[in-house]
Amino acid sequence: MGAILIAVTGIDPKAWHERFRALAPQRDIRLWPERVGNAADVTYACVWQPPPGLLASFPHVRAIFSLGAGVDHVTNDPHLPPVPIVRIVDPDLTMRMSEYVALHVLMHHRRQRVYDAQRRQRRWHEHDQPPASSVAVGVMGLGVLGCDAASVLRRLGFRVAGWSRTPKTLPDIETFHGADGLEAFLRRTEILVCLLPATAPTAGILELQLFRKLKRDGAAGGAYLINAGRGALQVDADIVAALEDGTLAGATLDVFPIEPLPATSPLWTHPKATITPHNAAMSDPRALVANILRQIERVEAGLPLEHVIDRGVGY
Ligand code: NDP
Ligand code: OXD
């Protein structure tokens, strides 16, 4: 039974470490950088933004577990050992993301920012409220998170479509795929939700020309962006420009090209922007350590790992 390494930057490893020790007291749990011991003992690495090159220093590592659903923070290491990279797929994480998406789609749909502004003026004034069934929401990325969010939005009554790399068929959700399907998807979409992974083809995809293709004359009264995928997908200056010229009526952003979002960013104070600190679906060790330990038990029982990424496509 080899050792399990926890190696994270940018988040506090304490809760992960404690949870591993509580759920697997018989296991040898190592914490980078202070308690690594002999690197040759490590067989599993559980990581968030590990420093590039670090994983190559464990000669017997058999699998790398991302402590989140995304894996770009692992795959950007040019010296990665050629072992499976496993991402988190867990109902706890999925539900958190669907909560976030539903919250922000509804916030734009129900004009909550407008009512917040009226409240500051003590102004009692009701605006026309179109039904959800007249509003077109489009979800970019129909993976584990995108599919669940799309089906929750559908249950709320929205007209939902999704866009993915490969073709998909989903009940009551119109689907588009590939570069050829993107324009038609955007033209029918008023509230755009992005749940794509960061890969070479998706880098910078959320830019001004794309925003200009969104439907602005629909029931939502403008076009809205919600990005909870990755910051590398979006061009911040284009979002600001689109908010300024009315291409976008509002934006909810959980992720940014540079995190934390620099204090100088105009997005912090833009009245049409809503900012959250990359916590749309936080990875909660209370739920996810058990998920990882289950996977390790699978390997040790000779079963295949689940949710291994395809390194060729990068997610
Ligand atoms: P999945 O791997 O299950 O799904 C990814 C989806 O994106 C798939 O539908 C895939 O298409 C689609 N896709 C990938 N590349 C392209 C492309 N070039 N063109 C069109 N579609 C593409 O991932 P999850 O749903 O689990 O997670 C999605 C992302 O959400 C993560 O990668 C991560 O970046 C982000 N995330 C953010 C969090 C936060 O707190 N802000 C928390 C958790 C995740 P296909 O189905 O054809 O393969
Ligand atoms: C993830 C994230 O990828 O939290 O899970 O960003």
Side-chain angles (χ1 to χ4, degrees):
M1 210 161 50
I4 300 174
L5 175 80
I6 303 168
V8 305
T9 67
I11 60 167
D12 188 349
K14 193 164 165 269
W16 291 96
H17 191 214
E18 282 171 4
R19 189 71 176 157
F20 269 106
R21 284 163 51 124
L23 294 190
Q26 76 289 6
R27 301 230 43 147
D28 182 0
I29 312 290
R30 310 276 179 92
L31 189 59
W32 176 84
E34 59 271 39
R35 281 196 290 276
V36 173
N38 182 355
D41 299 339
V42 169
T43 45
Y44 307 103
C46 305
V47 301
W48 183 256
Q49 292 177 349
L54 177 73
L55 292 165
S57 63
F58 299 98
H60 299 138
V61 73
R62 291 171 67 183
I64 298 166
F65 294 93
S66 164
L67 294 184
V71 290
D72 49 302
H73 64 100
V74 183
T75 55
N76 62 13
D77 179 347
H79 308 292
L80 269 189
V83 300
I85 301 170
V86 181
R87 62 193 208 88
I88 292 284
V89 173
D90 191 277
D92 182 84
L93 193 147
T94 303
M95 192 50 71
R96 287 167 191 263
M97 183 58 86
S98 292
E99 281 175 11
Y100 185 90
V101 170
L103 170 68
H104 289 276
V105 168
L106 287 171
M107 185 189 74
H108 296 303
H109 169 61
R110 298 301 302 253
R111 316 267 191 277
Q112 188 56 46
R113 288 293 181 236
V114 174
Y115 290 114
D116 288 345
Q118 287 184 195
R119 174 171 167 254
R120 287 191 288 274
Q121 299 162 351
R122 298 168 190 251
R123 180 162 182 249
W124 183 278
H125 174 70
E126 189 180 341
H127 297 266
D128 177 49
Q129 179 57 55
S133 58
S134 64
V135 174
V137 183
V139 180
M140 295 179 99
L142 287 176
V144 173
L145 302 182
C147 277
D148 194 71
S151 78
V152 168
L153 294 169
R154 187 69 202 93
R155 285 283 309 279
L156 288 170
F158 291 99
R159 289 173 42 224
V160 183
W163 180 71
S164 51
R165 189 174 59 84
T166 58
K168 297 263 172 310
T169 307
L170 297 170
D172 294 330
I173 292 168
E174 196 182 357
T175 54
F176 300 82
H177 69 276
D180 292 349
L182 183 57
E183 173 133 358
F185 164 78
L186 295 170
R187 296 267 178 225
R188 52 78 62 205
T189 293
E190 297 166 85
I191 303 180
L192 180 67
V193 176
C194 183
L195 290 174
L196 288 169
T199 62
T202 61
I205 192 168
L206 299 175
E207 46 74 57
L208 197 53
Q209 294 315 314
L210 179 142
F211 304 143
R212 289 193 174 136
K213 293 180 180 153
L214 292 169
K215 185 172 173 59
R216 278 195 277 167
D217 59 357
Y224 295 85
L225 168 68
I226 298 169
N227 184 17
R230 277 291 182 265
L233 306 169
Q234 86 198 17
V235 181
D236 283 4
D238 284 11
I239 294 175
V240 173
L243 291 171
E244 289 293 308
D245 73 7
T247 301
L248 288 176
T252 293
L253 305 169
D254 183 55
V255 286
F256 301 89
I258 302 171
E259 293 179 3
L261 180 64
T264 51
S265 170
L267 286 166
W268 277 117
T269 49
H270 201 289
K272 294 181 185 167
T274 299
I275 306 293
T276 51
H278 195 147
N279 75 335
M282 105 180 201
S283 288
D284 186 344
R286 285 170 296 194
L288 303 187
V289 168
N291 177 313
I292 296 170
L293 287 170
R294 233 180 359 256
Q295 290 263 43
I296 291 176
E297 280 164 20
R298 286 180 66 85
V299 186
E300 295 183 343
L303 296 168
L305 283 162
E306 296 171 327
H307 315 304
V308 174
I309 67 147
D310 176 345
R311 285 206 194 191
V313 291
Y315 66 96

